[in-house]
Amino acid sequence: MNVADPRFCNDAPAILGPARDLSPAEVVSASGSSFRAGMRLLPKERRRAILAVYAFARAVDDIADGPETREVRRAGLDAWLAELDRAEAGCPVTPIGRELARAMARYDLPRAEFDLLVAGMAMDLDAIVGPDRATLETYIRGVAGAVGLLSMRIFGAWRGEPSRRFALSLARALQLTNILRDIEEDAGMGRIYLPADLLAKAGLAGDPGLIATADLGDVRASLAQEARRDFAAARAEIAAHSRLRLAPALLMMGPYERLLSRIEAAPHAPPAPRSDWGKALDGLACLIRPGRA
């Protein structure tokens, strides 16, 4: 793309999707994200930055999961990559892009992490069904790990390698818990994120139609053990950071650890929803006593 071309900074194609004309706050509010409580703890400038990152993630996720043809969805993701180019060049054309440009400059956010995020979302253009371990890890690193690493910088919590370990461990734990929670829903969309080796061990074929009605107790329990280890790995790095700086992450960690506990207690069925008040209490408990599971 030619940045010198005047059209580069004057084009906001409709293919960017419904988030094209919305502010980051509007996108995040409409999404009902469970991360909003933690965002409210941040000072204004940091809150603006994290809203921009999450709005960008939601925008590309909605495109990847949309009903359009693969070609149209791929073009939509490419359009957001072009908006990142414009943000870096100082001439974004969307409200999200303008806030991202501000955040990237203010908090030295690595462009490579945004590219990884989009690459991870792009993996959903073709239904993921019983991925091998390498594919699953690539997916998690993109859709969850990238946001985690960007968030640590925005929180002001970045301390080098301990922060990287914390962010990636927590991201993997959260994403595995999401996968465990949403097995039946994902199967209804033709997707199975459960790894192929666990499906094979349970004698289950990678067929979404079968997964939706299968007894997944053993598979859920095995993957839950992995998520539990990742939560433990993340907790081990908390002491290397300011508790205050980590507060948004800990408020998110608590409800997910409680969700995982409920899955572990009854692995043969999807967990029932927990109230917003219950989630808030779980988050506060983790914030106050993060060493507790």
Side-chain angles (χ1 to χ4, degrees):
M1 180 175 292
N2 181 7
V3 179
D5 187 333
R7 293 173 299 175
F8 176 79
C9 294
N10 293 310
D11 183 22
I15 205 166
L16 285 167
R20 178 187 66 169
D21 300 316
L22 299 177
S23 71
E26 289 172 322
V27 173
V28 174
S29 178
S31 74
S33 172
S34 59
F35 306 145
R36 286 178 297 169
M39 294 177 188
R40 294 191 186 103
L41 293 180
L42 294 169
K44 180 180 177 180
E45 286 299 325
R46 295 188 187 278
R47 186 165 64 250
R48 284 182 65 172
I50 201 66
L51 283 172
V53 169
Y54 274 97
F56 177 80
R58 173 56 58 183
V60 295
D61 186 36
D62 286 347
I63 288 175
D65 287 345
E68 295 81 8
T69 65
R70 186 190 191 284
E71 291 72 22
V72 170
R73 288 181 290 141
R74 177 69 260 183
L77 296 181
D78 289 341
W80 277 108
L81 288 173
E83 179 68 345
L84 285 175
D85 292 336
R86 287 188 288 263
E88 288 190 306
C91 56
V93 294
T94 66
I96 291 174
R98 286 189 283 274
E99 288 298 303
L100 280 178
R102 181 187 180 95
M104 292 168 79
R106 191 178 187 94
Y107 299 110
D108 194 25
L109 303 181
R111 167 63 189 267
E113 294 301 331
F114 290 97
D115 291 336
L116 279 174
L117 172 59
V118 176
M121 299 296 187
M123 294 175 72
D124 276 327
L125 295 177
D126 300 304
I128 296 176
V129 178
D132 60 35
R133 286 290 181 162
T135 299
L136 179 62
E137 295 305 322
T138 298
Y139 179 75
I140 292 173
R141 176 62 178 85
V143 303
V147 174
L149 290 173
L150 291 168
S151 297
M152 290 294 283
R153 289 172 168 83
I154 294 171
F155 295 163
W158 188 256
R159 297 293 182 271
E161 195 56 33
S163 301
R164 181 178 180 83
R165 291 193 297 267
F166 173 83
L168 294 182
S169 295
L170 181 57
R172 190 173 189 273
L174 298 178
Q175 192 63 31
L176 289 181
T177 304
N178 276 335
I179 288 171
L180 289 165
R181 179 194 63 197
D182 297 336
I183 292 172
E184 288 76 11
E185 179 183 340
D186 290 334
M189 299 171 62
R191 298 172 178 171
I192 305 173
Y193 296 101
L194 299 170
D197 60 295
L198 294 185
L199 291 174
K201 187 181 296 185
L204 297 172
D207 181 341
L210 297 176
I211 291 296
T213 58
D215 182 352
L216 299 170
D218 290 343
V219 175
R220 264 198 174 98
S222 293
L223 198 59
Q225 289 178 355
E226 295 186 29
R228 181 61 67 190
R229 288 194 293 270
D230 289 322
F231 275 124
R235 285 201 307 276
E237 302 296 340
I238 290 174
H241 300 84
S242 159
R243 181 85 58 85
L244 180 61
R245 296 292 192 185
L246 281 189
L250 297 178
L251 284 176
M252 180 187 357
M253 184 176 178
Y256 270 86
E257 280 201 287
R258 173 61 68 90
L259 173 59
L260 181 62
S261 294
R262 291 162 57 215
I263 292 171
E264 290 170 324
H268 295 277
R274 184 160 169 78
S275 70
D276 289 342
W277 277 109
K279 293 177 183 177
L281 291 173
D282 296 338
L284 288 172
C286 186
L287 178 60
I288 296 168
R289 303 169 69 185
R292 306 279 293 186

